[in-house]
Amino acid sequence: MPAHASRRGVLAGAVAAFLALAVPAFATDEIDFGPAQAGRVRATKVDAAAKLIPTDYKFVTPGKFTVAAIPNRLPFSVLATDNKTPIGSEPDIAQLVADVLGLDLVLVPIAWADWPLGLASGKFDAVIHNVTVTEERKEKFDFSTYRKDLLGFYVSQTSKIESISNPEDITGLKIIVGAGTNQEQILLRWIEANKAKALAPTELQYYDDEVVLDLAVQSGRADAYFGPNAVSAFKATRQNNLKLVGTFSGGWPVTAEIAVATRKGSGLADAVTAALNAQIANGNYARLLARWNLTAEAIQASQTNPPGLPRK
């Protein structure tokens, strides 16, 4: 065999090994990527909730509930096989609310950065995509909560780390986190607190590529990843190489919740809150969360405009 052919063989083997480690096979046969979403949890109209819609409220399209979705990653939302229909946990929540209010659902795929202006200008009736309630956002929008905002520490299944439950537990570790995120701010505060106690330093790592991020955790280049629990929990159920070792509120030490956002003062929030509570009561809400492995983020009751994360 020529030397260059041998080198190609070695390189191909290395690439294959990298991909096998970096991109563990998802159980895609268990995920319905079709636009019809036959397994989606559905509901019937609840008059008590529908009657809370203000008589003077004007929907973007009469008789339809137009909701902004941000298809970027599961379990929140991605595009279906038709490359135009958003599917995931957030479209499922939107469908449930629409059903209860007796409306047809219209999902509008947008980029994350576009939702505040789009909602304020009336391009859609609501935004449903992992939006955390904050005091600053409450000045411009109304909210109906539907899920806890949890952050999770995830490590390799072979890691000796069993628990991260307080700031001292991150001493000496190399942790991957997203730049400019709530979780980064939490870690930076912990690092400063540990430094004041003369504890070992913590190294933060940043990756834009999720495949490289996963590889870093599996290879030991990083000890843990700290990010939105929903994403990693969903991934962990379909890969056998991650384990959860700790969860914290997205606003630690303040409790944070995820909510449906509607236009400020439109009056629609009370109807949405009632719709969500009706589905919490009848079990549909629990079934929906279980479909996307989000049971740990369930709330006991939806609230309209609860206390949000304080201004920074």
Side-chain angles (χ1 to χ4, degrees), residues 63-283:
K64 299 182 185 295
F65 188 42
T66 302
V67 177
I70 296 94
N72 54 6
R73 65 198 311 190
L74 288 174
F76 301 139
S77 179
V78 294
L79 291 179
T81 51
D82 64 358
N83 205 36
K84 64 179 182 180
T85 304
I87 63 170
S89 63
E90 309 304 70
D92 279 11
I93 288 287
Q95 183 68 73
L96 212 56
V97 173
D99 287 348
V100 173
L101 298 181
L103 302 166
D104 294 326
L105 177 63
V106 176
L107 291 169
V108 181
I110 64 166
W112 170 263
D114 296 336
W115 79 258
L117 180 58
L119 181 57
S121 63
K123 289 185 177 180
F124 19 84
D125 300 302
V127 175
I128 302 179
H129 190 91
N130 204 46
V131 179
T132 302
V133 181
T134 70
E135 289 303 310
E136 185 174 4
R137 287 173 177 167
K138 281 168 60 179
E139 293 177 2
K140 298 180 179 180
F141 308 104
D142 288 329
F143 291 97
S144 302
T145 59
Y146 64 90
R147 189 160 46 80
K148 295 177 184 176
D149 182 1
L150 286 185
L151 300 173
F153 278 101
Y154 281 81
V155 301
S156 168
Q157 277 284 6
T158 59
S159 173
K160 294 181 180 180
I161 299 172
E162 296 297 333
S163 174
I164 296 178
S165 59
N166 58 65
E168 290 80 3
D169 290 338
I170 69 168
T171 58
L173 300 183
K174 295 173 288 186
I175 302 176
I176 299 172
V177 70
T181 60
N182 287 345
Q183 52 267 32
E184 181 193 34
Q185 293 303 311
I186 291 171
L187 289 180
L188 290 174
R189 293 199 299 272
W190 288 3
I191 289 171
E192 285 302 309
N194 289 339
K195 183 179 179 180
K197 298 177 183 178
L199 298 176
T202 300
E203 176 188 324
L204 299 187
Q205 299 181 1
Y206 303 88
Y207 297 94
D208 293 328
D209 190 314
E210 191 166 354
V211 171
V212 178
L213 184 159
D214 287 346
L215 179 62
V217 173
Q218 296 307 316
S219 66
R221 193 186 315 156
D223 296 301
Y225 167 67
F226 187 41
N229 183 68
V231 174
S232 294
F234 182 79
K235 184 188 297 183
T237 63
R238 286 156 177 80
Q239 302 175 2
N240 296 318
N241 57 7
L242 290 174
K243 64 179 179 181
L244 174 67
V245 293
T247 59
F248 295 84
S249 172
W252 184 94
V254 180
T255 299
E257 290 193 358
I258 303 299
V260 177
T262 51
R263 287 193 297 281
K264 188 70 178 178
S266 68
L268 192 57
D270 286 338
V272 173
T273 298
L276 289 166
N277 279 325
Q279 299 311 292
I280 290 173
N282 68 17

